[in-house]
Amino acid sequence: MGSLIFLFYPWGFILQGLAILHFIRRRPDTYWLWIILFFGPMGALVYIVVEVIPDFGLLRQSFEGFPRRKRIRALEAAILDNPSVGNYEELADLYSDEGRFARARECYDKAISSRAGSLDAFYRRGIAEIRLGDFAAAVPDLEFVTSRDAKYDSHRAAGLLAHAYANTGQIDKADSLFQQVTKISTQSEAYYNYASFLASQQRAAEAREWAQRILAKKPTMPGYLRRRERPWFRRANGLLRRLPT
């Protein structure tokens, strides 16, 4: 019996270590940490079955990174001989997926200068500019998109435009557009950006309400959606903690 315990002894700690590492990165419900710590390897095993294995679906994008980077290298070489709009837009999209927003913006600039009618290029350049913190540049790009299609990307373009207005001091425009978007869209991103805008205007009660709306969606969400929405749940909780009571 003693030899059997010795055989499995290190694996229990390894299992707990993996479970705790995943918990820190993904931040599921806090009670899981106590289950991992107090129930030892068995608690860690339950956590892995319930939380870690379902998360494998979210890792698909990470595994897609290898062929994506290979395609980036191929397009970088192809553009030298064929600097077409399509090549630049595809390369820009791939850079955005990699989080290389400055390079993506450069490619969108070249694509747009050749063919100014591509809504998607303007929209994605606006997103890249927001990620880079250049809200002033994002405003005209997103205005161009929403002026031609107010519902673009399920109203996300309008929500991001309101966010850009808020970060360029256009308070009335931001407030009006946020109200329009949040009446139609249930995206956590729009709710959070609106709550942050309200908090910046010292409208704490309204900010708290919109942050709580994000968290109120959690109990009725299927598990895979809850896992995807975790970053917004964390941000909403963080905002609530910062708001005055």
Side-chain angles (χ1 to χ4, degrees):
M1 182 68 177
S3 60
L4 189 63
I5 292 173
F6 178 78
L7 180 64
F8 289 100
Y9 171 76
W11 297 107
F13 283 103
I14 292 171
L15 208 61
Q16 280 185 286
L18 291 173
I20 291 172
L21 181 62
H22 181 274
F23 177 89
I24 292 170
R25 289 183 174 179
R26 296 296 299 158
R27 300 288 182 87
D29 294 318
T30 307
Y31 64 79
W32 278 116
L33 181 60
W34 303 113
I35 290 174
I36 296 167
L37 294 176
F38 285 103
F39 291 93
M42 185 59 66
L45 181 61
V46 171
Y47 174 82
I48 288 171
V49 170
V50 176
E51 289 289 335
V52 178
I53 293 176
D55 266 359
F56 284 156
L58 299 180
L59 296 175
R60 189 177 303 132
Q61 186 174 358
S62 299
F63 291 121
E64 289 173 352
F66 298 106
R68 182 168 59 236
R69 285 187 283 275
K70 182 179 179 181
R71 180 59 179 161
I72 285 174
R73 290 192 293 271
L75 282 169
E76 287 173 337
I79 279 175
L80 297 176
D81 296 322
N82 181 22
S84 67
V85 172
N87 280 344
Y88 272 120
E89 284 199 25
E90 184 182 356
L91 184 56
D93 291 345
L94 292 170
Y95 279 141
S96 291
D97 291 341
E98 285 282 295
R100 298 165 65 180
F101 296 110
R103 293 288 290 131
R105 181 181 183 176
E106 292 173 7
C107 290
Y108 286 129
D109 287 344
K110 291 177 180 177
I112 288 169
S113 66
S114 300
R115 185 182 67 196
S118 173
L119 276 186
D120 195 59
F122 277 92
Y123 173 58
R124 292 180 176 275
R125 185 172 70 173
I127 292 174
E129 288 159 344
I130 286 176
R131 294 289 184 267
L132 293 168
D134 191 353
F135 294 97
V139 167
D141 280 343
L142 295 172
E143 284 181 334
F144 177 81
V145 174
T146 55
S147 67
R148 284 155 178 77
D149 184 356
K151 301 178 182 178
Y152 198 86
D153 197 10
S154 301
H155 302 279
R156 187 180 181 223
L160 290 173
L161 177 57
H163 182 49
Y165 282 150
N167 283 273
T168 52
Q170 302 182 65
I171 304 305
D172 292 339
K173 284 186 176 181
D175 198 3
S176 175
L177 190 52
F178 267 130
Q179 289 184 43
Q180 293 176 41
V181 171
T182 52
K183 285 179 182 177
I184 303 167
S185 172
T186 59
Q187 293 177 356
S188 296
E189 179 184 51
Y191 284 11
Y192 177 79
N193 287 338
Y194 189 29
S196 298
F197 165 73
L198 292 168
S200 72
Q201 299 302 304
Q202 284 74 52
R203 296 159 62 180
E206 294 171 86
R208 184 175 297 278
E209 177 189 345
W210 285 100
Q212 287 171 339
R213 289 194 186 196
I214 298 172
L215 301 175
K217 296 189 291 183
K218 187 176 180 180
T220 58
M221 277 184 170
Y224 77 95
L225 277 181
R226 280 202 303 273
R227 283 185 283 277
R228 289 184 178 179
E229 290 284 292
R230 275 176 186 161
W232 296 112
F233 296 150
R234 288 199 294 270
R235 292 183 184 188
N237 275 315
L239 179 60
L240 286 171
R241 286 194 294 269
R242 295 192 300 270
L243 289 172
T245 56

